[in-house]
Every structure is written in C-alpha cells, then in structure tokens.
Amino acid sequence: MSSATEESVLIAGAGPTGMSTALALEARGVPATILEAEPEDRDRSGSRAIYVHGTTLRTLERVHPGLAHDLVEEGLVWPTRRTMWRGKKVFERTYDNPGGHGEIPHFSSIPQETTEEYMLDALAEAGVEVHWDCAVEGVESSEDGVRVETSDGREWDAEYLVGADGGGSTVREEIGASFEGDQSENSFIIADIDEVEDDPWPLERLFHYDDPSVGGRNVLLVPFTGGWRLDIQCHEDDDPEELIEDERMREFVRTVMGERYEENVTWVSSYKFLQVMADTFVDDHRRVLLAGEAAHLLAPFGARGMNSGIADADEAASAVAAAIDANRPTARDEIELYAARRERAAEYNLEAAGTALEYLQGDNPITNRRKEAAAALADCFEPAGEYLDDAPYGPHTAPPIVTTGNY
Ligand SMILES: Cc1cc2nc3c(=O)[nH]c(=O)nc-3n(C[C@H](O)[C@H](O)[C@H](O)COP(=O)(O)OP(=O)(O)OC[C@H]3O[C@@H](n4cnc5c(N)ncnc54)[C@H](O)[C@@H]3O)c2cc1C
C-alpha cells in the first residue's frame, strides 16, 4: 500500500492565485490543500498588486461571501485622475462617486500583503489546510491522477494539482512547459511611501510624462490604504541600482511629493518587466493546471497580474470541480477547456499590457507624435488630455470568451 497522503486537489503556492483557487474549490464543494514553500511568518512586503478590479472583487465575494467587503472596507477608491506633460497639467477629473453605485465599487486600492492576510483568514474559515515550508519538488502525472513530492520528504497523491507557485514555478518545469516571450527595454523603479497623516497628499492618481524635475522620466503616483506607490520609468541608459540608493530615492520623493515625504520610503525595488506565458497551461494527462504567474508574467500597467491570476483560479476550480464529477473522457475536456480559455486570456492580457508598455517605452515614432499632438491640443480639447491620461494603462477591454469549437 502507498504511504502517500491522499488529497482530492493539491495546490502549489499560497500566493493570491493559489489561495483563490482553494476558496473557489471549497465554494464548489471540492476540498483542497495548499503546499507552500515558504514559512508561515514570511515577509511579503511591497504593495505590488494594489488595484483590485471590481470583477475580481465580485469573484472573491462569490467564492467566499464577505471577503470582497473586507477588501473594500480596508481599501480606498481614489476620486481624482490627473495628468501632467513636461511640467504642465493636461488633464484632471474628479468624480463625485468614484466607486459607482453598486455594493462592490469599480476597484479597491489596497496593498497585496493586506489582500493576502484577508485571504488567509478566509482559508481558515473555509477549513483549508496550508502546509508551510513544504515546497513542491517533484510532479508525476498519469491518467489516474498526480503524485507530488515535497521538500519535507513527503509524497502526496491527488486527483488534480493546480500549479500556482509563481514566476519561478517548479510545477511548470516538472510538466515540461516553458515560458516564451520577451522583456521591457527600460527598467522601472517601484517604491512604497508611507502616508503623512497630518498633511496628506490629495487622493489622486497622477501620471507625469517626462517630468522635468526628475530628469525627464515618467512618474506615476497611486494611493493605497496607508501610503503611496511611486513608479519611475528609467531612461534606457540609467543604472537603476544607483537610482534606488537611499539618497537618490529621498531626492526623487522630495521632488515629486515634497520634503515631508522624503523619510517615508518603506520599500523600493527596480524591475525590467517580463512579458511571457507558458507554451501550455496543462500537462499531457490533463491532471495538472498552471494558474497565475506560474502560467504568465505581465508588465503591471493595466493591473492585469493578480487580477488575471484570480480569474485563472476561478476557472481552474470550475474545470477541476466539473472534471471530478464527470466521466473520464469528459473530464479531459473540462481541463482542456480551461487551457483553451486561459491561454487565450493570457495572450490577450499580454497584448494589452504590451500595448501599454510600448506606449510608455516611447520607441514608436507614430505613438510619440500622437502624444505630442495630444499634449499640444489638451488645453482646448479635453479628449486629447483624456487620451494622455488613459493610454499608459493600455486597453480596458476584457479577454474574449473562448469555446473549444470553431465558433
Ligand atoms: C512591483 C510589482 C508591482 C505589481 N503591481 C501589480 C498591480 O498593480 N496589479 C496587479 O494585478 N498585479 C501587480 N503585480 C503582480 C502581482 O504581484 C502578481 O501577479 C501576483 O503576486 C501573482 O500571484 P501568484 O499567486 O500567481 O504568484 P505569487 O504571488 O508569486 O505566489 C506564488 C506562491 O508560490 C510559492 N511557491 C514558489 N515555489 C513553490 C514551490 N515549489 N512549491 C510550493 N510553493 C511555491 C511562493 O512562495 C508564493 O507564495 C505586481 C508585481 C510586482 C512585483
């Protein structure tokens, strides 16, 4: 008899995708167990995915009633969009009711760390077990299920495995899938700045093109509960490591937000953004599914990273629940449908984030002319200013719905 622990569904990774997958499975009556490489008291600093989209909130509310309400209560909705072009204002709009009229607002701006804390509470309420310090090291699938080996020497048997183990996914490697795509030319500096309670900056999302006060770099400032996210787009010949040194960061923050914020940098990092997706989201036996950053990495403009990871999670749970109920050939179809849908969604999301990235990198002469023309017209023609305000985030549209048929 096998000494392996038997589970219905295993999930690799307790990031937002893995935790949402477990909640979405529990909501469909399928017990799930999470295997997480890191210890329970790990540091998850960095505000990261602050923009939780309304559709994501509705998904989370559906799979665990109350969760989205917590994220809405804890998060904030900024009412103002403002855009500057080389030191001059080209667009500003303040909404009376920025969240909309429904119970769930259009978005909630909240540090990812806080979102994850609420997800962990939700897992405890739903009775989902998380095994910490338990990295997935080996995956072997067959027509009947999947066997997983973890770093603590244990073996696990399950009907299905969802690989939600992030960009460096072991599960992806184990099923023989690989990332394909490219990376941004520029580096980006991303910093978190603590709010100054007694004299806060107005609640606005600010984009400044070629800000002359920071050497003509693009600057994005976005509020979240308790602080601000500052993104600075480096020039191609910048050395980002030099720019994120303490004194340089204090100087940036002093220039962009004022002296009162300069000592409030709590986290800073620099990135080149990868734009990649796995060449397949499922294994040959249709027993392993990749979701979230294990399946795709996107530049963050347009906030498609965590939001699309949670959409993957919900679809993966739906497919696995249907497959468990189905007879064998139909079960395969359910998993293939997941791959068809989410691979197409990832392609679409990559294209959308790529459009934003190309726009920001400024190496397309037609786009550059369009920006210049819009900036020149913005004073007398509001749609030109609105174009400048909107374009850095790429298209707002959702991925198309995919079926396995031709139509
Ligand atoms: C600076 C920055 C800014 C961002 N901004 C945004 C934004 O504005 N909007 C947005 O939507 N997204 C944003 N993102 C992306 C967002 O943070 C990610 O999309 C999100 O964290 C992905 O979630 P995930 O659960 O798929 O992967 P992760 O969060 O990476 O979680 C993977 C989990 O798997 C665990 N793990 C790894 N290997 C193993 C293993 N072998 N076995 C078991 N467990 C394992 C890891 O420890 C981790 O807990 C940003 C990211 C960064 C870095």
Side-chain angles (χ1 to χ4, degrees):
M1 208 176 110
S2 161
S3 61
T5 309
E6 295 209 13
E7 304 283 349
S8 178
V9 182
L10 289 168
I11 297 165
T17 305
M19 290 194 279
S20 306
T21 307
L23 293 172
L25 281 163
E26 288 288 330
R28 290 167 169 95
V30 179
T33 301
I34 299 182
L35 309 174
E36 164 57 49
E38 292 190 334
E40 188 167 7
D41 61 354
R42 63 185 171 159
D43 174 24
R44 291 283 276 176
S45 52
S47 60
R48 293 174 295 148
I50 53 177
Y51 191 95
V52 187
H53 200 277
T55 53
T56 303
L57 291 168
R58 281 190 285 279
T59 301
L60 294 176
E61 188 62 19
R62 173 164 49 74
V63 301
H64 192 83
L67 176 55
H69 283 102
D70 287 339
L71 299 183
V72 170
E73 213 164 284
E74 190 71 38
L76 60 82
V77 177
W78 33 263
T80 302
R81 299 153 57 188
R82 184 160 67 98
T83 295
M84 307 281 290
W85 173 272
R86 300 177 184 162
K88 180 180 144 237
K89 187 167 79 181
V90 286
F91 183 80
E92 180 167 358
R93 182 174 297 161
T94 297
Y95 297 86
D96 292 337
N97 194 351
H101 295 281
E103 231 181 275
I104 302 275
H106 298 318
F107 66 96
S108 179
S109 193
I110 181 170
Q112 184 171 326
E113 193 182 5
T114 313
T115 300
E116 291 185 11
E117 280 165 17
Y118 279 104
M119 286 180 169
L120 271 177
D121 289 347
L123 290 179
E125 280 167 24
V128 175
E129 210 174 338
V130 182
H131 295 265
W132 302 96
D133 278 317
C134 188
V136 170
E137 289 187 342
V139 176
E140 206 175 307
S141 66
S142 68
E143 291 207 346
D144 300 322
V146 52
R147 173 161 288 196
V148 171
E149 280 172 22
T150 48
S151 52
D152 54 4
R154 290 167 75 177
E155 287 190 331
W156 311 71
D157 283 336
E159 291 189 66
Y160 291 93
L161 166 70
V162 178
D165 50 342
S169 171
T170 302
V171 177
R172 185 180 65 238
E173 206 171 292
E174 286 290 293
I175 66 166
S178 52
F179 267 163
E180 290 173 352
D182 47 32
Q183 119 175 336
S184 66
E185 284 154 29
N186 303 62
S187 294
F188 292 79
I189 294 171
I190 300 192
D192 288 349
I193 324 290
D194 259 357
E195 183 59 287
V196 172
E197 298 288 341
D198 53 359
D199 184 15
W201 186 272
L203 272 190
E204 61 177 10
R205 188 261 280 134
L206 168 70
F207 192 89
H208 198 148
Y209 288 86
D210 305 346
D211 183 348
S213 69
V214 293
R217 298 178 179 89
N218 288 337
V219 173
L220 171 66
L221 199 56
V222 187
F224 57 82
T225 313
W228 291 83
R229 161 88 163 270
L230 174 66
D231 288 24
I232 298 172
Q233 183 182 338
C234 298
H235 294 311
E236 257 184 78
D237 55 357
D238 279 342
D239 174 359
E241 291 312 307
E242 194 189 303
L243 296 183
I244 63 172
E245 281 171 9
D246 287 356
E247 189 40 49
R248 291 302 299 272
M249 276 315 294
R250 270 199 293 275
E251 195 183 316
F252 278 136
V253 173
R254 188 164 56 239
T255 313
V256 174
M257 301 185 75
E259 212 170 311
R260 64 192 192 284
Y261 280 96
E262 72 176 359
E263 299 299 336
N264 286 14
V265 180
T266 54
W267 180 80
V268 62
S269 197
S270 71
Y271 294 88
K272 277 199 169 182
F273 293 118
L274 287 168
Q275 282 270 98
V276 292
M277 65 181 273
D279 52 1
T280 173
F281 284 15
V282 290
D283 70 320
D284 288 345
H285 297 289
R286 309 309 190 230
R287 290 284 173 174
V288 183
L289 300 79
L290 299 177
E293 289 206 337
H296 45 74
L297 290 172
L298 309 169
F301 312 102
R304 289 173 185 266
M306 186 180 81
N307 287 300
S308 70
I310 293 173
D312 290 346
D314 191 35
E315 293 254 14
S318 168
V320 166
I324 285 174
D325 274 350
N327 62 26
R328 185 104 0 138
T330 325
R332 241 185 115 84
D333 285 352
E334 298 296 344
I335 305 303
E336 283 180 2
L337 188 53
Y338 168 78
R341 284 190 170 136
R342 295 317 294 169
E343 286 172 14
R344 180 68 194 98
E347 279 164 12
Y348 183 86
N349 289 325
L350 271 171
E351 211 176 291
T355 303
L357 197 57
E358 189 217 90
Y359 177 87
L360 289 170
Q361 286 184 159
D363 42 18
N364 180 331
I366 297 170
T367 310
N368 288 345
R369 264 201 217 125
R370 196 174 290 149
K371 285 188 217 173
E372 301 265 357
L377 284 172
D379 266 353
C380 52
F381 184 56
E382 200 192 34
E386 188 162 16
Y387 161 75
L388 289 171
D389 182 79
D390 210 37
Y393 316 100
H396 296 291
T397 42
I401 295 195
V402 172
T403 74
T404 47
N406 288 337
Y407 301 98

